[in-house]
Amino acid sequence: LADYQSLLDIFASGKDAYAAFGAQMFGIPDLNKNDHPDLRQSAKSALLGCGYGMGWASFAAQLLTGFLGAPPTMYDKAFAKQLGVTGQDVADFLNWNKNVEMMANIPHTCTEEELLVHCLAAKKIIDKYREAAHPVVTLWELCNSLVSHSLANGKPYEYKCLNFDKERILLPSGLALKYPDLTAEPDEKGRVQWAYGADAKSRRKLYGGKIVENVVQAVARCVMTDGMLRIQKRYSCVLTVHDEAVVLVPENEAKEAEQWVLEQMIKDPSYMPGIPLDAETGCNKRYGEAK
């Protein structure tokens, strides 16, 4: 959706996407899992978790509790130095009161100095991600502008397979993401923010990164179900879990069916030609052993 061609090329090549993205982020051409495990893990965390506008404070807080299921992580001085954190970075960070306030709000059991180092490293990773993934940042900015232009003011806007209109985004499936009662509201500091929802309890903020999250997950679901609909013409899809389809096939066709099902799941959708789709398959009489 972001026209991030260099990252698409990484996935299409079948290389270690986290290491290859880490090479872009950190400027280390030969970055790999064996020689640079910490940097690769940081690139993985950024690639998986920061595509929807996550800030350094949320990233730092989640690392301390375990980011995306990983063990809790606290960055130290040695790693901060490896990332390129300098004395000027420390001064710039502390000179902005908002940074100090956000850092103070992060639950922690370490010392204040250790927390500062951890936050500086987390911020450096976020900054490096946004620099490397500038097409994604551009997509946030576009979607942020469409909150007012289309979703609030009703001016139609077509972007790739998405159609933005008054309080909704039409998906390639014909279904729509809806944002009822979208209005601009001042926050506690008087800054304008957008929110939607029919009542006070259900109202949520809406901004560029959140729209990107919504449309990426929704279009991914369209891609997934397109494959399932193709499969359903021949075999029965009996279950789906997130990005997994479970298909019932005759035992004497199992080997042929496994290959055919894979082909249906990785076929280009007409609305997103060239997307580097891939999947894994497993076959067994028991669901747990097929995974």
Side-chain angles (χ1 to χ4, degrees):
L1 287 173
D3 285 324
Y4 193 172
Q5 192 58 50
S6 62
L7 188 57
L8 291 171
D9 292 342
I10 289 170
F11 282 111
S13 72
K15 296 177 182 176
D16 180 342
Y18 306 129
F21 180 66
Q24 290 183 5
M25 270 185 70
F26 302 116
I28 302 175
D30 60 347
L31 189 145
N32 61 78
K33 187 175 183 178
N34 293 329
D35 297 333
H36 314 89
D38 293 338
L39 291 177
R40 180 189 178 277
Q41 181 60 40
S42 295
K44 178 179 179 179
S45 297
L47 188 58
L48 293 179
C50 303
Y52 304 134
M54 177 184 286
W56 67 263
S58 295
F59 184 50
Q62 290 190 36
L63 285 165
L64 291 176
T65 58
F67 190 74
L68 297 175
T73 299
M74 186 176 73
Y75 295 137
D76 58 17
K77 286 184 178 180
F79 185 65
K81 186 175 181 180
Q82 187 178 8
L83 289 173
V85 175
T86 66
Q88 187 61 52
D89 290 325
V90 178
D92 292 343
F93 183 91
L94 294 176
N95 283 336
W96 194 19
N97 289 336
K98 186 178 179 182
N99 282 341
V100 178
E101 290 174 9
M102 290 192 295
M103 181 173 65
N105 288 326
I106 296 175
H108 61 281
T109 57
C110 57
T111 67
E112 296 304 312
E113 182 181 354
E114 288 171 333
L115 180 63
L116 173 60
V117 171
H118 175 72
C119 288
L120 286 164
K123 186 176 185 304
K124 181 65 75 172
I125 289 172
I126 293 294
D127 290 345
K128 284 182 176 291
Y129 168 80
R130 294 183 178 184
E131 182 180 352
H134 57 88
V136 176
V137 176
T138 300
L139 182 58
W140 299 343
E141 294 168 350
L142 170 64
C143 289
N144 200 53
S145 70
L146 291 175
V147 176
S148 172
H149 181 273
S150 298
L151 300 179
N153 294 319
K155 297 176 182 177
Y157 187 90
E158 183 177 350
Y159 179 74
K160 293 186 179 288
C161 59
L162 304 169
N163 284 278
F164 292 74
D165 207 339
K166 178 71 173 178
E167 296 186 347
R168 72 170 194 165
I169 303 171
L170 190 66
L171 302 168
S173 63
L175 297 175
L177 295 168
K178 295 187 176 182
Y179 304 95
D181 298 316
L182 179 65
T183 56
E185 303 172 353
D187 64 13
E188 62 277 4
K189 294 186 178 180
R191 296 170 299 192
V192 173
Q193 62 180 12
W194 293 92
Y196 69 97
D199 54 68
K201 283 188 177 180
S202 65
R203 289 190 72 73
R204 298 184 179 184
K205 294 178 183 178
L206 190 64
Y207 49 92
K210 176 56 68 175
I211 292 177
V212 172
E213 179 180 14
N214 290 168
V215 298
V216 165
Q217 292 175 351
V219 173
R221 181 62 179 172
C222 293
V223 172
M224 171 77 179
T225 50
D226 280 356
M228 292 174 64
L229 287 170
R230 288 190 288 270
I231 292 168
Q232 192 70 24
K233 293 177 181 179
R234 181 172 174 182
Y235 299 118
S236 179
C237 288
V238 295
L239 178 67
T240 176
V241 182
H242 300 300
D243 61 350
E244 175 184 279
V246 182
V247 183
L248 186 64
V249 304
E251 187 173 353
N252 62 350
E253 297 179 23
K255 187 172 182 180
E256 174 195 350
E258 185 174 357
Q259 180 60 36
W260 184 82
V261 165
L262 174 63
E263 291 169 359
Q264 307 317 304
M265 293 304 294
I266 64 175
K267 187 176 180 180
D268 282 11
S270 60
Y271 47 84
M272 200 165 284
I275 185 174
L277 295 177
D278 202 359
E280 294 179 349
T281 59
C283 186
N284 202 282
K285 291 182 179 181
R286 298 174 65 91
Y287 168 62
E289 294 177 8
K291 291 169 70 67

